[in-house]
Amino acid sequence: MDITTVADDLVVIHDGLDVRRYDALAPDTAHDLDGVTVRTLARPDGELLCRFATVNDVHFGEIEAGRIDDLREGPIRRADPGATPYPEVMNRAAAAEMAAIDPAAVIVKGDLSVDGKPVEWEAFEACYRDPFGDRLHVVRGNHDAYRHQAEYAGDQRIELPGAIVALLDTAIPGATTGTIANEQIDWLDELCADADRPVFVMGHHQQWIGGGHDAKRSDDYFGLHPDASDALDALATRQPGIVAYAAGHTHRHRVRPMARSGVASIEIGCTKDFPGTWAEYRVYEGGIMQVVHRMSTPEALAWSESCRGLYSDFGIDYETYALGTLAERCFNLSLR
């Protein structure tokens, strides 16, 4: 049983394929929900100004979940013969759930495809552009640029009620790792200096912070190069309008403070397998709430449940790794 989602007014519990949803709850209160005690998040001060949503690592075109390169270890999960491809199952569910909150924007943080093929991007566009139109904002990930493609490239300024999202293109064409170039740091610096509201920075690659398994400083680091990561941290130190940096790429939920600024560096799990999530942001006058949701259509849950054991042949506890803790999925970001 997983307490998957907690907001100021909402709790969702998943028990296998069973979904228990509790709405209209009082904020910052311990609730006894059919024998499970859960405390709702405190509600940031002031008026709710907008909601927006994000997904990442949606991987249209993928046919095998859990494969690492050409290795045979797994387990490797595939859709049943004749069944709808699992990226379509998962992303249709995500799009429908996001549409239900009427988001001011939907931001896709890279890896739209598995190989950057036009047919994969066409499937992505059909799933997300049709329901969201000009509210959809997209940046590429490493899977979209392995063959030096330029579609979905470039940084974007997205102005929303109560916040500005600075969406960075962190992809290095032909590479798995990512970076932020000096000119991008300059662009973001100018954006922050000009901003009249909090700035939420987003990109595909997670930040190198150091410590633990990420202690080694190397340009082979799986996410943002350490120098680029430090430059982002230094920028956040001198620009107090930055409230967080959020990324995908790792297929996990995690949040850590940047080393110097202390600003939250967030990772959001993938949409296409376990636990199969999207993130909602509620922008208040006094802060921003992150609420991670697990897609809960029967088809999406059946697929994501079957993926809990991915990578177990490599000794990886993917279930714990990907889901993270509740506190790493659902929390409040204070304004600085």
Side-chain angles (χ1 to χ4, degrees):
M1 186 181 69
D2 301 312
I3 303 169
T4 48
T5 300
V6 172
D8 55 335
D9 58 355
L10 168 71
V11 171
V12 181
I13 298 173
H14 285 86
D15 188 359
L17 301 180
D18 180 51
V19 184
R20 293 153 56 185
R21 181 184 175 100
Y22 305 87
D23 292 288
L25 301 176
D28 197 16
T29 302
H31 298 270
D32 185 352
L33 306 173
D34 299 321
V36 179
T37 301
V38 185
R39 189 172 196 90
T40 46
L41 294 179
R43 182 172 297 157
D45 293 336
E47 179 184 352
L48 176 63
L49 301 175
C50 79
R51 299 183 184 197
F52 67 96
T54 72
V55 289
N56 48 260
D57 302 280
V58 301
H59 286 224
F60 279 92
E62 185 178 286
I63 59 173
E64 295 180 324
R67 176 173 291 281
I68 297 178
D69 299 325
D70 293 326
L71 299 176
R72 295 186 177 183
E73 292 86 355
I76 297 169
R77 295 282 299 120
R78 305 171 182 86
D80 293 332
T84 302
Y86 62 84
E88 295 190 19
V89 169
M90 301 302 288
N91 284 288
R92 288 174 187 171
E97 291 187 11
M98 291 189 293
I101 71 166
D102 191 23
V106 170
I107 298 165
V108 186
K109 307 192 300 293
D111 280 6
L112 327 174
S113 64
V114 69
D115 193 39
K117 295 177 181 177
V119 67
E120 296 167 354
W121 286 330
E122 289 169 7
F124 165 79
E125 289 284 335
C127 183
Y128 286 102
R129 187 75 62 183
D130 287 355
F132 299 114
D134 60 8
R135 291 182 291 169
L136 182 67
H137 306 271
V138 186
V139 76
R140 64 184 176 173
N142 52 291
H143 275 270
D144 308 306
Y146 276 144
R147 291 181 289 109
H148 295 260
Q149 305 96 315
E151 285 81 358
Y152 304 103
D155 306 327
Q156 301 168 51
R157 175 181 178 139
I158 305 164
E159 297 207 10
L160 302 172
I164 296 172
V165 175
L167 184 58
L168 297 177
D169 179 0
T170 63
I172 302 173
T176 299
T177 58
T179 194
I180 305 172
N182 290 337
E183 54 267 30
Q184 291 177 284
I185 291 292
D186 292 341
W187 173 83
L188 181 56
D189 206 353
E190 292 179 8
L191 182 153
C192 292
D194 179 59
D196 61 352
R197 64 200 81 171
V199 177
F200 201 138
V201 186
M202 295 188 172
H204 179 65
H205 292 83
Q206 87 283 4
Q207 190 175 12
W208 181 87
I209 292 177
H213 295 296
D214 299 340
K216 182 182 177 182
R217 186 180 185 91
S218 170
D219 281 348
D220 292 332
Y221 176 64
F222 182 63
L224 285 177
H225 287 184
D227 287 349
S229 298
D230 288 349
L232 179 59
D233 190 4
L235 176 58
T237 300
R238 66 177 179 269
Q239 291 289 2
I242 294 178
V243 295
Y245 173 69
H249 192 55
T250 57
H251 297 196
R252 75 186 303 179
H253 295 97
R254 182 167 67 160
V255 59
R256 300 169 295 163
M258 296 186 195
R260 290 179 57 191
S261 65
V263 168
S265 188
I266 302 164
E267 297 161 47
I268 299 295
C270 72
T271 302
K272 57 95 176 178
D273 56 55
F274 180 80
T277 53
W278 60 278
E280 173 190 1
Y281 293 94
R282 301 181 182 183
V283 180
Y284 289 85
E285 291 176 311
I288 299 174
M289 181 184 298
Q290 175 177 295
V291 183
V292 167
H293 299 269
R294 187 179 181 199
M295 282 90 78
S296 294
T297 64
E299 298 83 3
L301 276 180
W303 172 256
S304 64
E305 280 295 303
S306 76
C307 293
R308 281 182 181 260
L310 295 181
Y311 310 107
S312 61
D313 290 348
F314 299 93
I316 296 172
D317 179 2
Y318 186 60
E319 177 179 352
T320 300
Y321 167 90
L323 188 60
T325 66
L326 181 60
E328 291 175 301
R329 296 192 302 275
C330 302
F331 52 84
N332 285 320
L333 293 165
S334 299
L335 306 185
R336 301 165 65 202

